[in-house]
C-alpha cells in the first residue's frame, strides 16, 4: 500500500525498478527533489492546478493526478496562475476541444510572466494524432503531453519534464496494463468514484471513445472491493462505480462475474451507504440488474440510460443495437419494477440522415418515458468515426430539431421532479450552499438536489429532509427527525 511507503528512504542512486507501481514510487521520490529545487529558485512554494473537462472518468483521473502532485510537493490550487497547470481533456464533442485551445492560449500569456510555470496536457483529446500534430506545430510552449493509457506514469513523466527543456510527448495506442495503488487526492471526503472498467467495445458510429480509450478492460473484483473498503475506512459513504459501459463489466475476466453480482458484493461493505454507477448501455441492461436494484437499500434510485435517438432508423445508423420499441419496453419495465426510480438520459440531435420525423420519434420517447432529466447534445463530427463520412444535416435543421427536443425534455423533467413534492426522503449533504450560507445542499438517492437550513457539520451525513417546494429542477425543504 502506498500509504506505508516512506518515499524519503527510496535510494535514488539505484536504477528505477522495472515493475509497477514500485517504479512510480521511485519517481515520486525523485520528483520531490526537483520540486524542492524549483521552489528554491522560485522563492515560493510551488502550486499546481488540475483543470478537468469531460465525464466522471476524467474527474476520477484528475483525482489521481492531484494525488501525485501533492505527493511530489506541490500545493494544489484552483487558479491557472499556478506554477504547474495540467488540462485533463475530453474529445467527445468538438466544443470541448476548442475550449482547450482557448485556455492554452490564456495560460501561455501567464507563462511569459512566470518563467517557472509548466503546462501539461493529458486525457482523451491527446489520443488523436491530428491534435498532437497541431500542438507540435502551434503550441510549442506546452511542456508535457501524455494520453489516457499511461496516466499511471505521471510521476515518471513529471521527472522527464524537469530533466528536459523541450516538449515531452508520450502517447500509447492501447494498453492492457492496469496499475493499482497510486496516490489519489479526492475532491470530496465522503464520496468517491471508482473505476471498474476502462474502454469501450461498442463502436457507436458517432463516437470517438473506443478510439481514444481503447478496448474494454475490467478490473478484478477483488481489487475493486479492496479499494472500496479502503475508501469506506477513510470516510466515504457514497461510491460511484465508473465505466463507459458498466453493464458489460466482467466479460473479459478469467472468472466471469456480472455487473449485478459485483454490485451485490459492494453492498456487503458495511460503511458504504449509497452505491451509484455510470454509464449503462440499454442493449446490455439485464433483468438481473433490475432485480438487484429493486431489492437493494443501498443502490441509488437513479439510472442513466442514454437513448441518443428515438428513431429506429437513426439508432440503426448509430449502431446502437436496440430499436425505439425495445428502449420503450425496457424503460417501462424499469419503471414498473422500481417505481421511485429516476431515469435520465443523453440525447443527440443532428446525426447524419436525421429528419424532422426522426426528431418526432425522439420526442415521442421523451414523453412516453418521462425522463427526470436529459443531457441534450448537437451531433458533432469526430474525425475517424464512420458517421464523419456520412452526409451531414444542414445546421438550421439541426437547431430547429434541437430546440424542440430541449423543450420536450424540460417539460417532462419539470413534471417528474415535481412528483416528489411533500415527501420526506434522505439526502446526503454535500456542501454549504454557495449563495446562502444558512443553507446546505444535499442530494437525494434519485440524484435530485435539495437545499435546506443547516450548517457545515452536516456535510457527509445522510439525513431525512421534507421536500417542501419544487423549483423546476431542485427542491427547498427542511430537515426532519424521522423518515417515513
Ligand atoms: N456528438 C455529439 N454528442 C456525442 N456524444 C458522444 N459522441 C458524440 C458526438 N460525436 C454524447 C452521447 C453520449 C454523451 C457522453 O456524449 O450522447 O452519451
Ligand atoms: Fe470525454 Fe469520453 Fe473521454 Fe469522458 S471518456 S473524457 S466523455 S472523450
Amino acid at each position: 500500500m502506498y500509504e506505508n511507503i516512506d518515499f524519503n528512504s527510496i535510494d535514488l542512486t539505484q536504477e528505477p525498478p522495472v515493475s509497477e507501481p514500485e517504479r512510480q514510487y521511485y519517481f515520486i521520490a525523485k520528483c520531490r527533489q526537483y520540486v524542492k529545487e524549483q521552489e528554491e529558485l522560485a522563492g515560493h512554494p510551488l502550486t499546481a492546478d488540475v483543470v478537468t473537462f469531460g465525464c466522471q472518468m476524467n474527474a476520477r483521473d484528475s483525482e489521481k493526478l492531484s494525488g501525485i502532485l501533492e505527493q511530489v510537493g506541490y500545493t494544489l490550487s484552483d487558479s491557472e496562475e499556478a506554477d504547474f497547470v495540467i488540462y485533463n481533456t475530453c474529445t467527445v464533442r468538438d466544443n470541448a476541444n476548442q475550449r482547450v485551445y482557448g485556455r492554452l492560449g490564456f495560460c501561455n500569456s501567464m507563462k511569459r510572466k512566470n518563467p517557472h510555470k509548466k503546462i501539461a496536457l493529458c486525457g482523451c483529446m491527446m489520443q488523436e494524432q491530428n491534435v498532437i500534430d497541431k500542438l507540435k506545430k502551434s503550441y510549442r510552449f506546452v511542456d508535457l503531453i501524455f494520453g489516457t493509457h499511461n496516466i499511471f506514469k505521471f510521476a515518471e513523466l513529471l521527472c522527464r519534464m524537469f530533466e528536459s527543456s523541450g516538449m515531452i510527448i508520450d502517447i500509447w495506442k492501447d494498453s492492457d496494463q492496469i496499475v493499482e495503488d497510486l496516490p489519489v487526492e479526492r475532491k470530496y471526503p465522503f464520496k468517491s468514484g471508482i473505476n471498474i472498467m476502462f474502454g469501450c467495445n461498442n463502436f457507436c458510429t458517432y463516437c470517438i471513445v473506443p478510439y481514444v480509450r481503447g478496448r474494454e478492460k475490467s478490473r478484478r473484483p477483488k481489487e475493486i472491493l479492496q479499494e472500496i473498503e479502503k475508501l469506506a475506512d477513510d470516510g466515504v459513504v457514497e461510491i460511484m462505480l465508473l465505466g463507459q459501459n458498466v453493464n458489460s463489466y466482467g466479460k473479459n475476466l478469467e472468472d466471469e462475474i456480472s455487473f449485478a453480482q459485483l454490485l451485490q458484493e459492494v453492498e456487503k461493505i458495511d460503511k458504504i451507504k449509497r452505491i451509484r454507477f455510470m454509464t449503462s448501455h440499454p442493449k446490455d441492461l439485464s433483468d438481473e440488474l433490475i432485480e438487484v436494484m429493486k431489492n437493494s437499500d443501498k443502490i441509488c434510485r437513479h439510472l442513466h440510460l442514454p437513448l441518443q435517438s428515438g428513431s429506429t432508423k437513426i439508432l440503426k445508423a448509430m449502431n446502437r443495437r436496440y430499436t425505439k420499441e425495445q428502449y420503450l419496453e425496457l424503460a417501462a419495465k424499469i419503471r414498473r419494477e422500481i417505481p421511485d426510480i429516476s431515469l435520465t438520459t443523453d440525447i443527440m440531435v443532428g446525426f447524419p440522415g436525421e429528419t424532422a420525423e426522426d426528431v418526432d420519434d425522439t420526442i415521442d420517447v421523451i414523453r412516453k418515458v418521462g425522463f427526470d432529466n436529459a443531457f441534450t447534445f448537437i451531433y458533432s463530427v469526430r474525425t475517424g468515426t464512420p458517421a464523419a463520412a456520412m452526409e451531414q444535416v444542414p445546421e438550421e435543421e439541426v437547431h430547429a430539431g434541437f430546440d424542440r427536443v430541449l423543450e420536450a425534455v424540460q417539460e417532462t423533467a419539470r413534471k417528474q421532479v415535481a412528483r416528489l413534492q411533500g415527501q420526506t426522503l434522505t439526502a446526503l449533504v454535500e456542501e454549504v450552499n454557495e449563495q446562502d450560507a444558512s443553507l446546505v445542499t444535499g442530494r437525494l438517492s434519485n440524484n435530485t438536489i435539495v437545499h435546506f437550513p443547516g450548517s457545515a457539520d452536516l456535510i457527509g451525513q445522510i439525513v431525512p429532509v421534507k421536500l417542501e417546494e419544487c423549483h423546476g429542477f431542485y427542491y427547498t425543504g427542511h430537515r426532519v427527525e424521522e423518515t417515513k
Side-chain angles (χ1 to χ4, degrees), residues 14 29 43 46 117 150 154 190 210 294 377 385 405 414 432 456:
Q14 302 282 315
L46 292 193
K117 193 179 181 80
N150 54 349
F154 184 40
F190 53 87
K294 179 178 164 179
F377 307 108
T385 61
V405 164
R414 234 178 242 120
V432 172

Side-chain angles (χ1 to χ4, degrees), residues 53-58 89-92 124 208-209 212-213 244:
F53 295 86
C55 65
Q56 303 278 352
M57 306 274 277
N58 259 26
T89 63
C90 168
T91 188
V92 79
C124 296
I208 201 157
V209 170
V212 297
R213 287 266 175 184
Q244 300 296 346

Side-chain angles (χ1 to χ4, degrees), residues 348-389:
M348 198 185 302
V349 183
F351 183 84
E354 190 180 62
T355 62
E357 288 72 43
D358 295 316
V359 176
D360 290 342
D361 269 329
T362 300
I363 292 173
D364 190 40
V365 177
I366 295 170
R367 298 223 166 102
K368 286 194 172 126
V369 175
F371 290 112
D372 295 75
N373 201 358
F375 297 104
T376 45
F377 307 108
I378 285 181
Y379 166 73
S380 164
V381 179
R382 308 316 289 132
T383 313
T385 61

Side-chain angles (χ1 to χ4, degrees), residues 411-439:
E411 190 187 299
T412 67
R414 234 178 242 120
K415 259 191 239 155
Q416 278 299 116
V417 177
R419 72 185 171 146
L420 303 177
Q421 180 93 31
Q423 290 189 34
T424 294
L425 294 169
T426 54
L428 169 59
V429 181
E430 298 196 338
E431 58 196 5
V432 172
N433 188 296
E434 276 173 20
Q435 270 93 46
D436 180 348
S438 70
L439 302 177

